[in-house]
Amino acid sequence: MASKSRRRSRRHSPLTTAALVLAVCAHGALASSPLVDFDRMGKVGLAGAFAGLDVVSNNNSVTFDPSTASLLARSSDGSLSKVASTDAGGSILAGCAIGDAFYVAGNFSSIGGTSASNVASYSTSSGSFSALGSNGPNGVVHALYCDASRKQVWAGGQFSSPGASVAVWDIASSSWSAAPFGGLTGAAAEVLSITTNSSQSSLFFSGSFIASFGNGSIPLNSTNNPNVPFSSGATPFSSSLVPVPLGNASVTAGPASSDGQFNNVQNILCPAGPDGPGNTWLAADGNKAVITVRKFAFLTARGIRIGNTFLDGRGTTGFSVATIPDNAVQQLTYFDPTDNQNKTCTDNCPLLTDSSVPYQDFLFDSDKDITGFQLTLSEWQGAGPGLHLLQLLSSGAFASAVDSQNGQSCFAPGPSTTERNGNWKEKDADTSIPGTIQAVLVSTVDVGTPAAQAPSFTWMPYVSASGQYDINLLVPGCTNFQDCALRTSVKVTVFPGGGQQPWVTTVPQTNTEDNVTLIYRGPVVPTSPAFQTTITMTLADDPVGTGQNGQYEIVADRVQLILTSPNVTSSANASSSSSSSGSGKNGFGFLEWPLGATSTSSASNGLQTSAITPLDSVGFDLLTALGGAASVASTAFAPAISAVAHHPSGAVFLGGQFSLSSGSASGASNIVVFKNGALSALPNGGLNGAVTSLVVDGDTVFVGGSFSDTAKASNSALRGIAAYSVSQNAWSALEGGVDGAVNSLDTSGSQVLVAGNFSKILTSSGSTESQNAAGFAAWDASSNTWVNNGGFIIGSMTFVGNGTSSTPQFVAGSVSTSVRFGATGFVMLQNGPNGQPQVTPLGVQFDSPIVSANASTTAKARRSHHRRAGAGWIPSLNVLNVFKRQAPSTTTNNLSPLPSPAPAPAPAVLAGAFWTNSTSLKEVVIIGGNFSYAAGRVQAQNVAVYDDSSKTITPLRGNQPNGTVRSLLVKGDTLYVGGEFTVAGIEGSGFAVYDLANQRWESAGLPPLQGGSGESVTVRSITASPANNDDVIVAGSFAQAGSTACRAICSLDTSKSQWNALGNGIQGDVAAVVYAGSNELVAAGSIALADNTHANVASYSFSNSTWSSVGNGGDLPGPVTAAEVNDGNMNSVFVAGRSSDGSSPFLYFWDGKSWQSVGQGLEGSTDVAQLVMVPLQNTHDGNSIIEADRVLMVSGSISDSSFGNASSVLFDGQNFVPYIVSTSESGSPGTVAALFHSIANFSFTQRHFLATGVVILISIAIAAGIVFLLALIEILWTLFARRDDKVNNYDAVDMDADDDSTHRPSSLLEHINAATRSTILGSSPFGPNAEKEAGLAAAGAGAVAATASHDDPFSGPDASNYLRAETPSDALGGGLGPEEQSRPAYARYSFDGHGEGELALKAGQELEILDDRDDAWWYARDVRTGHEGVVPASYVY
């Protein structure tokens, strides 16, 4: 219920009543944060017990206070980052974006430290907040709508100023104003939602209010424009666009039918009759066709109108449109009447062959400044393509100052017209499109002449339909006229009709470049015998400038009417398709307002009936169905319409808190649909609780709110969220829904984003199984599954909505904890931008494992599909201790037990390994731990094969490990699994071998590990022996392997499936095994040698099979939990653990002589699970402990007095730098168990590369050198090859009188040849034989034969025999065909043509191309004078 939600108080658990702080600060000693080089390690995985994590930035601190409202940015990968918080007690309820600005609203007095009352803007580029003026809404704001085209932000809520319940922020003027309507009173008098209709031409306001309409006029234009023939392939918008007259355009089409009744393309520009002879154009049978339309003048177009032919089963089925002169194939938007959907197309747009659809309108994505277009009919049915109608649609309407340009449009009763007073003369002006000119009129007036006595000009454009228009005055720049000194300012008066007051604008005409000035914005009445819109221009009352020679010059060009919305109102004497009229009409909870419409209403006198639209019947019917105004006013809690969604079918869905007692939807509760002119109930009476949000995704309407079933109980899985199929008229559940209220919905691609006050996603109706998702979740509509929303959050969320281009979504609410990435215990790491780590979360959702004596993938699945994501988990199973405490043994010299690690609640990933499938050669990651998951229809647990490229998971076939997996090793196609578990059918516990190639457990031939008396087996480490490729080293807590006595560590000969002891063995328990080169193994834990020497860290030599203590075991404070050898160097060993009494952690370094503590600052709660040396992209200050090109990564649960808590830190030998922070599903700190990588042995040595810019410069220099070398070789070759005959045979008198030496060479080699001849002969670079030989070289054998009688390829007096063969146009098939002697063209630019044989051009001049086979120069004829010559190819189109 809306009113209840406004009174809702926040409740927080003890965990969240105080702000949870994840604060980490890098130690000041480091100049910059270390950049770990993950790529050098191959693929890298990070495993642990966490629900979300983030990478720490230097001096980064993120805090959340649940008593405030926090705004979070959601990136394209779903990761979350905090933007800002409000003041305590504040709330964020709405948001929208224009450009890079995100507008946020709710109930707050400050946000991000900026004082702002209920509404603020956030710049994503600068990262700063700004208040919106000082007189914004003085109460809570529930809804925002951003009108990007008009640069306005609409706000709705419960406030009285600057308007009642609705206010408008104008970005251009930076000011607030009341809405252009009033009359929203009664009930709770608040607006809860502002959305648009499906065409985005009107706004829908909904809430708890009564919309009161008074006397006035009637609405217009609720259907297609009545002044054009109706077609379901058009819309009210497109049918209101006046077609551009094409009577004086150049229109060519071909190949055309040989039938004379169907080969005149002019007949389809405005057909005089029905589809048939004389009114239809047909292409030649079996051929695609091209229709080219050129106006040779600047025009603004919005799209095209195409009508198909249906003669003899023929018709066009596919086409494309390219605009001229840019030759760009345009993306088109159109309405498909077959499914009532708006669609787009580009290269192959479909054209319907249904004779009931006489034409379709295809619109460009914006207004285009063009000179023509080319339509390609590429697909057809029957014998060939054809058309019955072809029109170019304007941007709305238009009128030119030059009457000859105001042709009569098709379907128009007459053309646009003009009137003028004074003397006006025509001038030509260049346009913004090269090669085109536009005629304008100018008039001079003496300086000092009163405006009333000055020349005036009036445009009277033909307007086809009423609508909301922007009217622009086009003023050509004075630079092209060279009359800037004469220019002044003019006064322009617009009479739009409909009883509206005229708009008067003063427009300066002193602009140096072409300018477009807005002179009116608002409704315009269509042209009729009784009225015509007029735009009058005269000298300004106070003209600017001093004039020239005592005179001003006024310029009259064109006026342009751009249609922005067809749905506006006009006076009652205009035609209308609606009959809604009368006085005193009231509606409840809903109002439609056409975007851009204006009104003189106020909140006190109500809305005019001129504002009534057909959809306002929704509000009228709702008020009646609720029992009338008295029933609404007397209700203790006023009903409300909280959300509205307009389906493309035309149906309007309304959700809120209400119960209808009468009318066509009597009995409907909380959601209803308006279709076919009446309200209708949804199946089972709607829903049994309040609806707060609606979103449409194709055929489905997703509904969010506080409900648990339909009104008439039918599906208890409809909890908080539900899906309604429009086509099937049926409800469906999103698994089991959520366990709380949903406050806001949004869509992102195929995902539906869900924000609310819930904590879990329920797997099915009545099920106790669930996933943690505290306040935010994502549903994949394409796969019908809950998916990973990308980030991790714990909170009560109030808003989710689309954002800017750089930040796709924003999420807001009361947040206790949030980290950037959400993942169930596992992420992939690699180098990202600027060297920062790039995190890819696990793409599936893990749950707690199932405790069973015989877990198997063949067991019945608990879910019918693979749920690939989620936000949390249920810690329903306590994880066994990672390091089991062991009682002292009579054989172990009273060793201290291994310490217990930090809690790792399930689901947790504790180990991983990479495997390259020997069959597919695809590399995947195998992970193990304490978790379960659904894969297909089976349930699996504790081990999974994860494909990070497809985000899919595959279980091991057969029985599943029942317990906890702690270590994994892959050798070839064999997987070695260690931990604390059993597998049904496998003897023993704690260790098993799996054949990945054949997908089965190896159950025979391998003796099991055995624990001591009363002890269980735990395997913590499985590694490959560097000394023998067949050996695998297994370590942990056990007494023997089969009959082989090998306590805590044993070698498995994989070739024989035989266990072997390592030397004399050791006593105790092993936590970690690392290697110093290929000959030495280092085992760490709680260890004594066979002779009872206390060690805790011991080394084993493979060469002599002996154990020895690394240093004095008594120098270490206690048992070791993690160890690392620095790049195989036995004189650089690191170990971590806890003191024997368990009171404090330690980190020690072995330098080959003694142990020394390097872990100062680590606090008592620290537990170290792993030490691993990682390479760096940058360097730190090297020291005697760690080299400059690497750092030690310390993982587990780390606490330090300098930075607080972290899950992984980097140690450079002197300082700890926090690196990874993680959190559990409850919000407490998480832990990292292991970092593992695909490349076993990598180099720490850094490779330095040149900067990209330097590499590019070197490449350019090399390329330039090669080109110069080739040119030099050509020159030298020419020099030596031609020296004798050229010098001996040259005779100046032999030079032809009409030689072509003055023509420009058309290739680099011709320039080289000319320069070479100049060197040899001492003549001009383009001397008598320069281009002759180039012509011979280009012309080939045919040209050589021709030169036997005449050497000059320009043999005619006007170079009419000019030919060049094998040019790029020939190769592309774009030149003249063998049967084509010429083709028409036009000059794009002017060309002086002073050179011999050249033809002068004027922009727009018509030409005939005689030869286009050269890519640089074409041979052409001026069709007016008959003169011929060569012209630059790029100057012609």
Side-chain angles (χ1 to χ4, degrees):
M1 180 174 182
S3 56
K4 285 185 177 179
S5 67
R6 296 189 297 274
R7 299 171 174 84
R8 185 174 60 245
S9 62
R10 293 191 180 95
R11 299 184 181 92
H12 301 289
S13 67
L15 172 66
T16 59
T17 52
L20 175 64
V21 179
L22 293 174
V24 285
C25 301
H27 197 284
L30 275 182
S32 61
S33 296
L35 298 177
V36 177
D37 193 346
F38 293 107
D39 290 355
R40 207 183 310 175
M41 296 184 280
K43 285 190 173 183
V44 179
L46 188 76
F50 50 78
L53 59 75
D54 199 357
V55 178
V56 178
S57 300
N58 203 19
N59 298 321
N60 170 280
S61 179
V62 180
T63 64
F64 289 94
D65 181 355
S67 69
T68 68
S70 295
L71 181 67
L72 306 177
R74 186 174 187 265
S75 63
S76 57
D77 62 2
S79 59
L80 298 172
S81 57
K82 182 180 178 181
V83 175
S85 294
T86 67
D87 56 302
S91 62
I92 296 174
L93 305 174
C96 64
I98 296 179
D100 78 333
F102 185 75
Y103 296 87
V104 60
N107 186 13
F108 52 80
S109 58
S110 69
I111 184 169
T114 299
S115 296
S117 179
N118 303 318
V119 186
S121 67
Y122 171 68
S123 171
T124 56
S125 58
S126 65
S128 60
F129 282 88
S130 301
L132 301 188
S134 57
N135 63 333
N138 60 354
V140 60
V141 175
H142 291 289
L144 289 180
Y145 175 78
C146 288
D147 183 357
S149 62
R150 294 170 180 78
K151 304 298 183 184
Q152 294 177 330
V153 180
W154 293 72
Q158 193 172 39
F159 47 81
S160 58
S161 175
S165 304
V166 181
V168 183
W169 169 258
D170 186 83
I171 297 174
S173 63
S174 297
S175 63
W176 284 100
S177 63
F181 56 83
L184 303 186
T185 59
E190 66 177 344
V191 171
L192 299 175
S193 170
I194 306 175
T195 57
T196 65
N197 60 0
S198 58
S199 64
Q200 298 186 339
S201 58
S202 293
L203 291 181
F204 292 158
F205 296 85
S206 68
S208 181
F209 57 79
I210 295 176
S212 302
F213 295 85
N215 288 317
S217 56
I218 58 179
L220 289 175
N221 213 37
S222 62
T223 183
N224 285 16
N225 180 8
N227 291 322
V228 301
F230 176 80
S231 173
S232 59
T235 65
F237 182 90
S238 67
S239 64
S240 301
L241 304 176
V242 176
V244 175
L246 299 177
N248 61 351
S250 170
V251 184
T252 60
S257 170
S258 59
D259 189 338
Q261 299 181 91
F262 297 101
N263 60 11
N264 187 352
V265 72
Q266 294 285 343
N267 293 338
I268 67 173
L269 302 182
C270 192
D275 187 17
N279 297 308
T280 297
W281 181 86
L282 301 179
D285 291 352
N287 284 275
K288 73 175 184 180
V290 176
I291 301 176
T292 304
V293 179
R294 293 187 177 93
K295 283 284 288 184
F296 305 113
F298 166 86
L299 57 90
T300 302
R302 190 66 172 84
I304 63 170
R305 175 172 294 155
I306 306 177
N308 215 342
T309 180
F310 310 104
L311 296 177
D312 302 325
R314 299 176 66 116
T316 301
T317 59
F319 70 93
S320 62
V321 177
T323 49
I324 298 175
D326 59 357
N327 297 322
V329 177
Q330 299 294 329
Q331 177 175 287
L332 305 176
T333 300
Y334 65 100
F335 177 76
D336 189 343
T338 61
D339 57 8
N340 295 322
Q341 298 288 325
N342 291 315
K343 299 180 179 179
T344 60
C345 62
T346 305
D347 292 329
N348 191 25
C349 293
L351 188 63
L352 295 179
T353 56
D354 182 357
S355 60
S356 67
V357 184
Y359 63 84
Q360 290 178 262
D361 289 347
F362 295 85
L363 303 184
F364 304 140
D365 53 11
S366 62
D367 294 335
K368 301 293 182 183
D369 292 338
I370 61 176
T371 60
F373 67 92
Q374 188 173 80
L375 175 67
T376 301
L377 309 181
S378 55
E379 295 184 358
W380 61 89
Q381 68 176 13
L387 294 177
H388 173 58
L389 178 68
L390 177 62
Q391 295 177 345
L392 182 65
L393 300 178
S394 70
S395 57
F398 48 87
S400 173
V402 180
D403 288 334
S404 62
Q405 297 179 1
N406 290 325
Q408 183 173 343
S409 299
C410 194
F411 306 136
S416 298
T417 57
T418 63
E419 292 181 353
R420 69 197 73 172
N421 291 319
N423 295 319
W424 295 82
K425 63 179 180 179
E426 184 174 325
K427 273 189 178 182
D428 289 339
D430 291 332
T431 74
S432 59
I433 300 178
T436 61
I437 57 175
Q438 184 72 38
V440 301
L441 297 182
V442 298
S443 181
T444 56
V445 57
D446 293 337
V447 175
T449 301
Q453 300 175 14
S456 65
F457 198 95
T458 300
W459 294 267
M460 292 172 284
Y462 169 71
V463 180
S464 178
S466 65
Q468 183 76 15
Y469 289 84
D470 287 349
I471 302 182
N472 296 323
L473 179 70
L474 280 66
V475 182
C478 64
T479 300
N480 290 330
F481 281 115
Q482 299 181 358
D483 61 353
C484 293
L486 284 166
R487 295 290 187 94
T488 184
S489 54
V490 295
K491 179 174 69 175
V492 182
T493 306
V494 179
F495 292 88
Q500 300 179 89
Q501 295 298 313
W503 276 43
V504 180
T505 307
T506 299
V507 179
Q509 294 194 328
T510 54
N511 47 288
T512 58
E513 303 296 331
D514 294 349
N515 190 41
V516 178
T517 301
L518 179 69
I519 55 176
Y520 174 76
R521 171 174 286 170
V524 173
V525 174
T527 301
S528 67
F531 175 80
Q532 189 165 17
T533 297
T534 61
I535 300 100
T536 299
M537 180 183 71
T538 187
L539 185 67
D541 294 332
D542 186 14
V544 299
T546 58
Q548 186 178 46
N549 299 326
Q551 289 188 320
Y552 290 130
E553 183 180 73
I554 304 173
V555 182
D557 188 357
R558 288 154 292 160
V559 292
Q560 181 185 64
L561 285 77
I562 299 177
L563 179 67
T564 58
S565 171
N567 298 323
V568 299
T569 59
S570 184
S571 60
N573 61 1
S575 61
S576 173
S577 60
S578 172
S579 59
S580 299
S581 61
S583 61
K585 293 184 74 71
N586 295 324
F588 173 79
F590 180 86
L591 171 70
E592 180 184 25
W593 185 257
L595 274 170
T598 58
S599 173
T600 58
S601 301
S602 67
S604 60
N605 62 18
L607 289 151
Q608 295 181 354
T609 54
S610 62
I612 296 175
T613 71
L615 282 180
D616 283 322
S617 297
V618 172
F620 304 152
D621 292 353
L622 279 173
L623 186 59
T624 301
L626 288 167
S631 299
V632 172
S634 63
T635 303
F637 292 99
I641 306 299
S642 302
V644 177
H646 195 189
H647 191 266
S649 65
V652 179
F653 291 85
L654 304 104
Q657 181 157 353
F658 55 84
S659 180
L660 305 185
S661 58
S662 64
S664 58
S666 179
S669 295
N670 303 315
I671 188 168
V672 71
V673 62
F674 183 84
K675 60 181 181 180
N676 301 323
L679 294 174
S680 298
L682 270 64
N684 298 298
L687 296 166
N688 66 356
V691 171
T692 58
S693 49
L694 300 169
V695 294
V696 175
D697 182 41
D699 180 62
T700 304
V701 179
F702 289 91
V703 185
S706 301
F707 48 82
S708 59
D709 204 333
T710 54
K712 299 175 183 178
S714 65
N715 189 343
S716 60
L718 304 180
R719 297 188 59 181
I721 187 167
Y724 171 76
S725 171
V726 177
S727 61
Q728 298 178 12
N729 189 30
W731 292 104
S732 61
L734 280 65
E735 293 193 357
V738 296
D739 68 343
V742 171
N743 297 323
S744 180
L745 298 175
D746 191 25
T747 57
S748 175
S750 64
Q751 292 185 3
V752 178
L753 305 180
V754 185
N757 187 23
F758 52 84
S759 60
K760 297 182 184 299
I761 296 169
L762 305 176
T763 59
S764 61
S765 175
S767 173
T768 59
E769 297 177 0
S770 61
Q771 303 171 22
N772 285 305
F776 187 55
W779 173 264
D780 190 326
S782 62
S783 61
N784 290 325
T785 58
W786 291 104
V787 297
N788 190 343
N789 64 55
F792 176 80
I793 194 169
I794 296 178
S796 176
M797 310 311 292
T798 54
F799 167 77
V800 57
N802 288 329
T804 65
S805 58
S806 60
T807 307
Q809 287 90 33
F810 286 89
V811 187
S814 171
V815 179
S816 299
T817 302
S818 178
V819 290
R820 186 176 179 189
F821 302 100
T824 322
F826 178 73
V827 298
M828 301 283 287
L829 299 172
Q830 65 186 59
N831 296 350
N834 301 317
Q836 297 297 321
Q838 180 174 320
V839 179
T840 304
L842 179 70
V844 300
Q845 169 66 31
F846 287 154
D847 299 314
S848 298
I850 299 172
V851 180
S852 170
N854 185 11
S856 171
T857 58
T858 60
K860 181 180 178 180
R862 61 180 169 134
R863 292 190 284 280
S864 61
H865 59 269
H866 178 199
R867 193 173 65 255
R868 292 199 298 265
W873 47 72
I874 306 173
S876 60
L877 178 67
N878 291 328
V879 181
L880 297 174
N881 292 337
V882 175
F883 301 112
K884 177 179 173 64
R885 293 181 181 270
Q886 297 186 350
S889 171
T890 58
T891 61
T892 59
N893 196 23
N894 296 322
L895 294 174
S896 299
L898 286 174
S900 298
V909 179
L910 304 176
F914 289 94
W915 171 50
T916 299
N917 189 312
S918 59
T919 302
S920 66
L921 300 182
K922 188 172 187 178
E923 188 175 44
V924 295
V925 60
I926 301 176
I927 50 181
N930 187 29
F931 54 82
S932 67
Y933 57 95
R937 297 188 60 84
V938 300
Q939 191 69 30
Q941 63 184 34
N942 299 330
V943 179
V945 180
Y946 178 61
D947 186 342
D948 61 297
S949 61
S950 62
K951 310 297 182 188
T952 57
I953 201 147
T954 306
L956 300 184
R957 287 189 181 180
N959 295 321
Q960 300 295 290
N962 185 21
T964 302
V965 173
R966 306 199 181 279
S967 55
L968 296 172
L969 172 68
V970 172
K971 281 179 65 68
D973 287 335
T974 302
L975 171 67
Y976 299 90
V977 185
E980 299 174 69
F981 61 86
T982 59
V983 178
I986 303 296
E987 185 180 3
S989 65
F991 182 76
V993 181
Y994 189 84
D995 185 342
L996 293 167
N998 296 307
Q999 301 185 58
R1000 65 189 181 193
W1001 292 102
E1002 295 289 354
S1003 58
L1006 180 64
L1009 297 176
Q1010 301 176 32
S1013 177
E1015 299 175 354
S1016 61
V1017 173
T1018 300
V1019 172
R1020 301 185 184 90
S1021 171
I1022 307 176
T1023 55
S1025 170
N1028 189 332
N1029 190 53
D1030 291 333
D1031 287 353
V1032 169
I1033 308 299
V1034 180
S1037 296
F1038 50 85
Q1040 61 187 52
S1043 60
T1044 303
C1046 50
R1047 186 176 182 88
I1049 188 166
C1050 204
S1051 174
L1052 173 63
D1053 186 339
T1054 59
S1055 64
K1056 302 176 182 178
S1057 294
Q1058 177 179 315
W1059 294 104
N1060 298 301
L1062 295 179
N1064 293 329
I1066 57 174
Q1067 304 178 67
D1069 301 284
V1070 174
V1073 173
V1074 289
Y1075 295 92
S1078 61
N1079 185 52
E1080 200 156 8
L1081 174 152
V1082 177
S1086 180
I1087 298 173
L1089 302 183
D1091 60 3
N1092 292 330
T1093 301
H1094 194 124
N1096 285 345
V1097 181
S1099 65
Y1100 175 77
S1101 172
F1102 288 103
S1103 61
N1104 57 25
S1105 301
T1106 59
W1107 286 94
S1108 60
S1109 174
V1110 178
N1112 186 350
D1115 291 343
L1116 295 176
V1120 173
T1121 58
E1124 173 67 327
V1125 175
N1126 184 2
D1127 198 19
N1129 182 4
M1130 195 58 201
N1131 294 324
S1132 181
V1133 181
F1134 295 86
V1135 297
R1138 296 191 71 83
S1139 60
S1140 297
D1141 61 4
S1143 63
S1144 60
F1146 65 83
L1147 176 65
Y1148 269 63
F1149 169 66
W1150 171 256
D1151 61 3
K1153 298 179 182 179
S1154 63
W1155 289 105
Q1156 54 182 301
S1157 174
V1158 293
Q1160 294 82 2
L1162 294 178
E1163 296 183 337
S1165 58
T1166 294
D1167 288 296
V1168 178
Q1170 185 194 46
L1171 299 176
V1172 59
M1173 196 67 69
V1174 294
L1176 294 178
Q1177 303 173 63
N1178 56 355
T1179 60
H1180 61 82
D1181 293 333
N1183 51 69
S1184 60
I1185 298 177
I1186 296 179
E1187 296 90 330
D1189 57 3
R1190 69 200 70 179
V1191 290
L1192 182 69
M1193 185 171 179
V1194 184
S1195 297
S1197 177
I1198 315 299
S1199 297
D1200 186 276
S1201 57
S1202 64
F1203 57 74
N1205 294 326
S1207 300
S1208 292
V1209 300
L1210 302 179
F1211 180 62
D1212 67 352
Q1214 295 179 331
N1215 306 296
F1216 291 102
V1217 179
Y1219 192 58
I1220 300 288
V1221 292
S1222 69
T1223 181
S1224 69
E1225 56 86 21
S1226 65
S1228 60
T1231 62
V1232 168
L1235 179 138
F1236 55 97
H1237 41 85
S1238 62
I1239 298 178
N1241 299 302
F1242 54 84
S1243 172
F1244 288 94
T1245 303
Q1246 295 183 354
R1247 294 168 293 176
H1248 298 282
F1249 299 96
L1250 292 174
T1252 301
V1254 176
V1255 174
I1256 293 174
L1257 290 175
I1258 292 174
S1259 300
I1260 293 173
I1262 293 173
I1266 293 173
V1267 171
F1268 177 77
L1269 179 61
L1270 292 174
L1272 180 60
I1273 292 172
E1274 170 71 13
I1275 293 172
L1276 293 175
W1277 177 83
T1278 304
L1279 177 65
F1280 291 108
R1282 301 182 179 181
R1283 175 180 297 172
D1284 295 337
D1285 56 331
K1286 289 299 179 180
V1287 174
N1288 294 334
N1289 297 331
Y1290 173 72
D1291 189 348
V1293 299
D1294 292 337
M1295 184 176 66
D1296 296 327
D1298 58 349
D1299 189 75
D1300 61 341
S1301 59
T1302 59
H1303 289 275
R1304 295 175 175 83
S1306 61
S1307 71
L1308 174 63
L1309 289 179
E1310 289 178 26
H1311 280 283
I1312 295 171
N1313 288 339
T1316 304
R1317 285 189 290 271
S1318 177
T1319 302
I1320 299 172
L1321 306 176
S1323 60
S1324 167
F1326 305 111
N1329 294 309
E1331 188 153 333
K1332 185 183 300 181
E1333 294 183 6
L1336 291 174
V1344 171
T1347 58
S1349 59
H1350 198 293
D1351 291 336
D1352 190 355
F1354 298 87
S1355 58
D1358 59 354
S1360 59
N1361 291 338
Y1362 170 72
L1363 290 173
R1364 298 181 193 270
E1366 300 301 323
T1367 63
S1369 61
D1370 294 328
L1372 296 174
L1376 299 174
E1379 300 298 325
E1380 189 177 8
Q1381 300 302 316
S1382 65
R1383 62 180 176 85
Y1386 296 87
R1388 188 188 303 272
Y1389 312 108
S1390 297
F1391 174 62
D1392 55 22
H1394 293 328
E1396 182 181 350
E1398 294 176 344
L1399 179 64
L1401 300 178
K1402 182 179 180 181
Q1405 176 180 338
E1406 186 176 0
L1407 302 169
E1408 185 179 10
I1409 301 301
L1410 303 177
D1411 186 356
D1412 66 353
R1413 290 180 293 173
D1414 186 80
D1415 61 331
W1417 296 85
W1418 289 356
Y1419 190 72
R1421 177 187 294 128
D1422 186 340
V1423 297
R1424 298 172 302 172
T1425 64
H1427 293 166
E1428 297 179 357
V1430 292
V1431 296
S1434 60
Y1435 280 42
V1436 179
Y1437 69 96

